[in-house]
């Protein structure tokens, strides 16, 4: 699976580069969330190697990064975060590749698709954005990505039975959903310019 994972990560990075995502940093509005993602996320991804518990308690932050930075820039961030995680924790290059794909790129891409569906078929208002994309969407996308990772052979920990692994992934996805929902709600209220996927024109327009 390492070759397949490498191919998927490389394809995502090439597509992201084609959009020239560095243009989003013009004006400096997204510099703060970008720096926060690069500094904080590696510690979240390294958590299973920094604590000694039977279950790998690991937050992703992928959906939050997607909502803040947009898909192209988020893909580059996930690659950088995976490399930085290797400096913090004793992980192998194959594990770094695994993290970039299953903790970052796959859930963020699923969240991008869910966002398109919500914009296309559901009313445009802050409630839908916060509850649908940031909270429930995060839980669903991370669990879906975790399920795909599980089917690909990724394990959570030696003491977790295979039959309970999906239950563990479902519960951990809600931890990410709570974190993402709270931060996005605060940003919508006080720092909407930190959300590349937010638009006053779209979500605050009169019905």
């Amino acid at each position: 699976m390492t070759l397949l994972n490498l191919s998927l990560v490389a394809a995502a990075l090439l597509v992201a580069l084609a959009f020239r995502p560095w243009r989003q940093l013009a004006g400096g509005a997204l510099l703060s969330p970008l720096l926060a993602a690069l500094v904080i996320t590696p510690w979240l991804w390294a958590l299973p190697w920094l604590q000694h518990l039977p279950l790998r308690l690991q937050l992703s932050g992928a959906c939050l990064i997607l909502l803040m930075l947009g898909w192209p820039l988020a893909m580059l961030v996930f690659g950088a975060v995976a490399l930085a995680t290797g400096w913090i924790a004793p992980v192998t290059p194959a594990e770094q590749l695994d993290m970039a794909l299953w903790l970052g790129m796959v859930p963020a891409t699923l969240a991008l698709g869910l966002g398109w569906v919500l914009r296309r078929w559901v009313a445009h208002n802050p409630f839908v954005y916060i509850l649908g994309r940031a909270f429930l969407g995060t839980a669903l996308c991370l669990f879906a990505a975790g399920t795909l990772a599980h089917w690909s052979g990724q394990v959570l920990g030696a003491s977790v039975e295979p039959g309970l692994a999906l239950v563990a992934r479902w519960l951990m996805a809600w931890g990410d959903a709570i974190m993402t929902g709270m931060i996005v709600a605060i940003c919508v209220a006080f720092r909407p310019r930190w959300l590349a996927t937010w638009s006053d024109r779209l979500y605050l327009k009169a019905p």
Side-chain angles (χ1 to χ4, degrees), residues 56-83:
R56 289 188 172 184
L57 299 175
Q58 193 165 45
L59 292 174
S60 163
C63 295
L64 177 60
I65 293 172
L66 171 81
L67 293 173
M68 285 186 159
L69 303 178
W71 188 87
L73 189 55
M75 295 299 108
L76 302 185
V77 167
F78 297 139
V81 167
L83 291 175

Side-chain angles (χ1 to χ4, degrees), residues 53-56 155-162:
L53 294 174
L55 178 63
R56 289 188 172 184
V155 296
L156 287 173
S159 62
V160 180
E161 297 179 11

Side-chain angles (χ1 to χ4, degrees), residues 101-102 106-107 110 140-150 154 169:
L101 182 64
W102 297 115
V106 171
L110 293 175
L140 293 175
C141 292
L142 279 170
F143 177 65
T147 301
L148 292 173
H150 176 77
Q154 188 191 57
R169 291 183 187 276

Side-chain angles (χ1 to χ4, degrees), residues 3-203:
L3 183 59
L4 176 60
N5 290 354
L6 178 60
S7 301
L8 292 173
V9 169
L13 292 176
L14 289 174
V15 173
L17 287 171
F19 285 96
R20 294 185 289 175
W22 50 87
R23 294 182 299 174
Q24 293 178 257
L25 300 177
L30 296 182
L31 284 178
S32 293
L34 174 63
L35 292 175
L38 291 173
V39 171
I40 297 173
T41 313
W43 293 95
L44 297 180
W45 288 15
L47 188 60
W49 289 269
L50 302 179
Q51 49 83 35
H52 303 284
L53 294 174
L55 178 63
R56 289 188 172 184
L57 299 175
Q58 193 165 45
L59 292 174
S60 163
C63 295
L64 177 60
I65 293 172
L66 171 81
L67 293 173
M68 285 186 159
L69 303 178
W71 188 87
L73 189 55
M75 295 299 108
L76 302 185
V77 167
F78 297 139
V81 167
L83 291 175
T85 304
W87 299 332
I88 297 172
V91 298
T92 65
E95 288 171 325
Q96 289 175 286
L97 192 65
D98 235 19
M99 288 187 288
L101 182 64
W102 297 115
L103 283 180
M105 295 176 177
V106 171
T109 302
L110 293 175
L112 177 71
L114 177 62
W116 181 87
V117 170
L118 291 177
R119 287 195 305 272
R120 179 67 177 83
W121 300 106
V122 183
H124 298 157
N125 58 61
F127 180 80
V128 171
Y129 182 84
I130 294 171
L131 182 64
R133 294 195 69 177
F135 183 59
L136 296 177
T138 294
L140 293 175
C141 292
L142 279 170
F143 177 65
T147 301
L148 292 173
H150 176 77
W151 288 343
S152 76
Q154 188 191 57
V155 296
L156 287 173
S159 62
V160 180
E161 297 179 11
L164 296 178
L166 288 181
V167 177
R169 291 183 187 276
W170 173 249
L171 295 176
M172 287 191 291
W174 283 101
D176 246 295
I178 292 171
M179 176 187 71
T180 302
M182 288 192 301
I183 294 175
V184 167
I186 292 171
C187 287
V188 166
F190 300 105
R191 288 290 187 276
R193 61 192 182 91
W194 286 1
L195 297 166
T197 55
W198 171 266
S199 169
D200 288 348
R201 180 184 58 80
L202 181 64
Y203 291 105

